[in-house]
Amino acid sequence: MLDYNPVTGQKGQCVIAGRGAVAIYLALKNISQYGKCVIVPANICYAAVFPIIYAGYTPLFCDVNPADGNVSLRIIKDSYNDSVAAAIIPHMYGNPVSDMCAIKSFFLQKGVKLIEDCASLMTNRSGSYRPGTVGDYVIYSTGYSKTVDIGIGGLLFSVSADLEDAEKEERSLNPYQECIGDEWRIFSKIYRTIRNNGQNSLIVKGIYKSFEKNLKDLLIYSINDKYKNDILNNISRLDEIIVLRENKYNLYLEHLKDSDCGYSIYKFEDGAVPWRFNMLVREETNRAFIEYCLRYGLPVSDWYPCVTPIFGIYDSFDDAMWHENHIVNFPLLIPDEEIIRICRVIKGYKEKK
């Protein structure tokens, strides 16, 4: 176990884990208030929700700000009840949650543990505050498409909590196997197919229920010391990677303005590390725009969706659904020529319209 946060340099205890989901699982096991609820945004990655269930808690979904996909203090206050033991608050798309410090103060009053989810915002920089230094627990990911992407790995850090039992728990988990990546890709294809074709049938509900029963070994596992050393070595390049991401994002901005594409470009706040290049496309043209991009071979995504149906929750999270129906994004860590081509194709769509 490390005695510091390798991202921020802050003193504390840090466990290197197999992925961000494992870090969440270990944090909740360490909190050990089984049977209680964990607040989590409706549009968080589903891989962050399954560990809540596997650790012995119930997810309590909340809505988000429609424009940026993050939560606010108002949303958290509206969602809180006495059954809540913890909350997972992610910095969506690498964009810092503006109310994070206020949320922490609210949770201190209520005795709720804040798990600050920095899976998409690995940074040692500060905006209005320093991400990764607010939560009672902080989790990171070095998995696919994250700030530092090596395809595997995560961190659990805390200034105040004793993580000795969490480290023992991590080492007791089933070891990572290479086939897990292949099986996870199959799962992702199944989920996308279901999501794109309706999620409310009895068959789909049954499939979703089977996910909960069968995914634990794909999400919760230990990794060997070689992987752990690789994670630390790659995190040591964080400054270089952040600059690269910012340069790639700015290249999009050089070639694509709101006035060019006819839609709004997602706004990042001070202290952000862009995850992808995000756009908010009008709901009535969103699907047609994505299909147009796919016809031209663009690597387009509409991540992150509202994931509550996977967990049998069909309540209306109006703002999370608004966000799902508008968000479109493109990768950053690709050749400059491809970014320029993407921008040219997007502007061509506007001209056709």
Side-chain angles (χ1 to χ4, degrees), residues 156-170:
L156 170 63
F157 174 76
S158 181
V159 169
S160 56
D162 183 350
L163 298 184
E164 183 178 348
D165 287 344
E167 184 184 41
K168 291 177 181 177
E169 179 81 24
E170 189 276 333

Side-chain angles (χ1 to χ4, degrees), residues 125-250:
R125 300 180 180 181
S126 300
S128 59
Y129 65 96
R130 196 175 189 190
T133 65
V134 179
D136 299 291
Y137 296 84
V138 180
I139 72 104
Y140 297 95
S141 174
T142 51
Y144 170 70
S145 84
K146 300 303 188 287
T147 310
V148 175
D149 176 357
I150 65 170
I152 191 171
L155 302 174
L156 170 63
F157 174 76
S158 181
V159 169
S160 56
D162 183 350
L163 298 184
E164 183 178 348
D165 287 344
E167 184 184 41
K168 291 177 181 177
E169 179 81 24
E170 189 276 333
R171 293 191 178 278
S172 73
L173 299 173
N174 291 333
Y176 172 76
Q177 300 178 49
E178 293 295 333
C179 64
I180 286 176
D182 293 334
E183 294 196 35
W184 194 250
R185 282 186 284 275
I186 292 171
F187 164 77
S188 296
K189 289 179 181 179
I190 293 171
Y191 172 62
R192 288 177 185 275
T193 299
I194 292 172
R195 182 180 158 235
N196 291 335
N197 291 278
Q199 303 182 81
N200 207 23
S201 72
L202 289 176
I203 292 176
V204 167
K205 290 178 180 179
I207 293 172
Y208 278 162
K209 195 65 179 174
S210 73
F211 287 169
E212 180 182 320
K213 295 177 180 177
N214 297 297
L215 287 179
K216 185 174 181 180
D217 286 343
L218 300 184
L219 278 170
I220 310 299
Y221 46 75
S222 64
I223 53 174
N224 61 36
D225 288 343
K226 179 185 180 300
Y227 283 123
K228 292 178 180 180
N229 289 331
D230 286 346
I231 290 166
L232 293 177
N233 288 336
N234 279 272
I235 289 174
S236 70
R237 299 177 48 241
L238 181 60
D239 287 339
E240 167 194 341
I241 292 168
I242 290 174
V243 170
L244 177 61
R245 284 184 168 274
E246 290 174 336
N247 289 342
K248 296 287 188 177
Y249 178 78
N250 288 332

Side-chain angles (χ1 to χ4, degrees), residues 35-307:
K36 302 202 80 173
C37 292
V38 177
I39 294 175
V40 64
N43 67 332
I44 198 171
C45 179
Y46 46 67
V49 182
F50 285 111
I52 298 173
I53 298 167
Y54 298 147
Y57 298 76
T58 299
L60 177 62
F61 291 101
C62 68
D63 217 336
V64 300
N65 294 320
D68 65 7
N70 277 330
V71 301
S72 66
L73 178 61
R74 176 192 60 80
I75 291 169
I76 292 300
K77 285 183 173 180
D78 288 346
S79 304
Y80 171 79
N81 63 54
D82 290 341
S83 71
V84 173
I88 301 169
I89 308 296
H91 301 285
M92 294 299 293
Y93 310 112
N95 206 7
V97 174
S98 58
D99 286 353
M100 186 66 81
C101 295
I103 291 170
K104 172 64 179 296
S105 296
F106 174 73
F107 284 152
L108 277 173
Q109 297 170 19
K110 302 296 184 181
V112 172
K113 297 299 183 183
L114 170 59
I115 301 173
E116 185 181 358
D117 183 348
C118 296
S120 295
L121 180 56
M122 182 180 285
T123 183
N124 50 20
R125 300 180 180 181
S126 300
S128 59
Y129 65 96
R130 196 175 189 190
T133 65
V134 179
D136 299 291
Y137 296 84
V138 180
I139 72 104
Y140 297 95
S141 174
T142 51
Y144 170 70
S145 84
K146 300 303 188 287
T147 310
V148 175
D149 176 357
I150 65 170
I152 191 171
L155 302 174
L156 170 63
F157 174 76
S158 181
V159 169
S160 56
D162 183 350
L163 298 184
E164 183 178 348
D165 287 344
E167 184 184 41
K168 291 177 181 177
E169 179 81 24
E170 189 276 333
R171 293 191 178 278
S172 73
L173 299 173
N174 291 333
Y176 172 76
Q177 300 178 49
E178 293 295 333
C179 64
I180 286 176
D182 293 334
E183 294 196 35
W184 194 250
R185 282 186 284 275
I186 292 171
F187 164 77
S188 296
K189 289 179 181 179
I190 293 171
Y191 172 62
R192 288 177 185 275
T193 299
I194 292 172
R195 182 180 158 235
N196 291 335
N197 291 278
Q199 303 182 81
N200 207 23
S201 72
L202 289 176
I203 292 176
V204 167
K205 290 178 180 179
I207 293 172
Y208 278 162
K209 195 65 179 174
S210 73
F211 287 169
E212 180 182 320
K213 295 177 180 177
N214 297 297
L215 287 179
K216 185 174 181 180
D217 286 343
L218 300 184
L219 278 170
I220 310 299
Y221 46 75
S222 64
I223 53 174
N224 61 36
D225 288 343
K226 179 185 180 300
Y227 283 123
K228 292 178 180 180
N229 289 331
D230 286 346
I231 290 166
L232 293 177
N233 288 336
N234 279 272
I235 289 174
S236 70
R237 299 177 48 241
L238 181 60
D239 287 339
E240 167 194 341
I241 292 168
I242 290 174
V243 170
L244 177 61
R245 284 184 168 274
E246 290 174 336
N247 289 342
K248 296 287 188 177
Y249 178 78
N250 288 332
L251 183 59
Y252 275 102
L253 291 182
E254 287 176 19
H255 291 272
L256 196 64
K257 310 295 183 185
D258 283 347
S259 58
D260 290 330
C261 64
Y263 310 111
S264 62
I265 294 172
Y266 179 94
K267 185 177 183 297
F268 283 103
E269 304 295 336
D270 288 344
V273 177
W275 169 68
R276 291 168 72 93
F277 184 80
N278 291 350
M279 299 168 56
L280 295 172
V281 180
R282 290 194 303 270
E283 182 174 351
E284 60 269 23
T285 59
N286 181 285
R287 184 51 50 189
F289 175 78
I290 291 173
E291 291 173 356
Y292 166 82
C293 290
L294 291 172
R295 283 201 303 275
Y296 282 86
L298 302 194
V300 63
S301 169
D302 58 355
W303 222 239
Y304 282 92
C306 183
V307 299

